[in-house]
Amino acid sequence: GAGVSQSPSNKVTEKGKDVELRCDPISGHTALYWYRQSLGQGLEFLIYFQGNSAPDKSGLPSDRFSAERTGGSVSTLTIQRTQQEDSAVYLCASSLAGRESSVEQFFGPGTRLTVL
Amino acid sequence: AQSVTQPDIHITVSEGASLELRCNYSYGATPYLFWYVQSPGQGLQLLLKYFSGDTLVQGIKGFEAEFKRSQSSFNLRKPSVHWSDAAEYFCAVGVWGGGADGLTFGKGTHLIIQP
């Protein structure tokens, strides 16, 4: 079946503009995660959605970052008033519910964001 | 909270030589353990995972890893590397409960393959 898809694959924007990044999880996966990967860094957790529960936003670096998940499926990560330090690869992952399933995450190819 | 350490930022190996990438974790119980690989411009691909049972796990692309509880380690090995193995490798610890605790990643090891 199809894996996690993300769009766009690359996004170049000017400082101060807003951007939206999209993630389509694997069908049937109830959990969805966003991560940020900056140059030379590991993965930084941003936000987590599980079913219809309120999202865990504990990893969002500032109030310029927000995310929503519509209908328990597609998710959009929005960055307002982008700054150069927001330049990174944004990765989305999804997983099934259940003990062992919930920790095995499947990753999309990422969106490379460049803020000029 | 759990943590993962990958002590080697870069490793250079000759093609055909054996490989071992180190991973140490910190967690109060036995965690779920993963190795992911990321090729340039790509997302993360799961190489192998350990949940329970046999401490030597086999993965894709000829990789294996061994869980050693006494050393809190989960090192990745391959007997003979290929040029296509050049990539970034991430070790991760998974904790039941999901959310922010779902997966904690190491900072990665960049593998360079010499001809």
Side-chain angles (χ1 to χ4, degrees):
Chain A
V4 178
S5 61
Q6 293 186 244
S7 60
S9 55
N10 282 283
K11 176 71 176 179
V12 180
T13 190
E14 295 178 347
K15 178 181 173 181
K17 295 287 181 66
D18 298 349
V19 295
E20 287 189 350
L21 313 180
R22 176 186 169 105
C23 172
D24 282 89
I26 294 172
S27 178
H29 280 196
T30 59
L32 187 147
Y33 303 77
W34 283 98
Y35 294 87
R36 179 170 68 176
Q37 185 179 25
S38 303
L39 187 63
Q41 299 297 310
L43 274 73
E44 175 189 11
F45 165 79
L46 296 178
I47 189 169
Y48 159 67
F49 295 89
Q50 173 59 277
N52 295 320
S53 302
D56 177 347
K57 305 179 182 179
S58 60
L60 294 178
S62 78
D63 59 8
R64 295 186 296 104
F65 288 72
S66 63
E68 64 178 20
R69 190 177 184 191
T70 55
S73 181
V74 172
S75 177
T76 302
L77 177 69
T78 301
I79 308 174
Q80 296 178 311
R81 304 181 303 281
T82 52
Q83 304 295 311
Q84 289 181 331
E85 60 264 28
D86 299 334
S87 296
V89 175
Y90 290 82
L91 291 166
C92 175
S94 69
S95 71
L96 290 166
R99 185 183 180 103
E100 293 182 351
S101 298
S102 71
V103 293
E104 183 174 356
Q105 298 177 19
F106 296 81
F107 284 81
T111 294
R112 181 175 298 278
L113 175 65
T114 303
V115 181
L116 302 177
Chain B
Q2 66 276 10
S3 65
V4 179
T5 302
Q6 293 180 247
D8 303 305
I9 298 174
H10 299 278
I11 281 191
T12 301
V13 177
S14 297
E15 189 170 14
S18 63
L19 170 71
E20 182 170 34
L21 301 183
R22 295 183 291 165
C23 172
N24 292 94
Y25 68 90
S26 173
Y27 183 58
T30 300
Y32 303 117
L33 297 162
F34 304 83
W35 274 100
Y36 285 88
V37 61
Q38 185 180 34
S39 298
Q42 303 296 312
L44 273 70
Q45 181 183 21
L46 180 66
L47 281 177
L48 47 76
K49 62 190 179 188
Y50 172 78
F51 284 171
S52 64
D54 192 347
T55 56
L56 182 64
V57 293
Q58 303 296 320
I60 62 172
K61 304 184 180 186
F63 285 92
E64 67 177 25
E66 186 171 14
F67 168 58
K68 293 186 177 180
R69 185 191 309 275
S70 62
Q71 298 177 18
S72 297
S73 69
F74 189 56
N75 294 348
L76 182 71
R77 301 193 295 248
K78 186 170 185 178
S80 177
V81 297
H82 186 263
W83 65 266
S84 60
D85 293 325
E88 192 83 17
Y89 290 80
F90 293 95
C91 180
V93 166
V95 174
W96 167 241
D101 295 328
L103 275 182
T104 300
F105 286 85
K107 292 192 178 298
T109 297
H110 185 60
L111 177 62
I112 300 166
I113 307 296
Q114 290 185 155

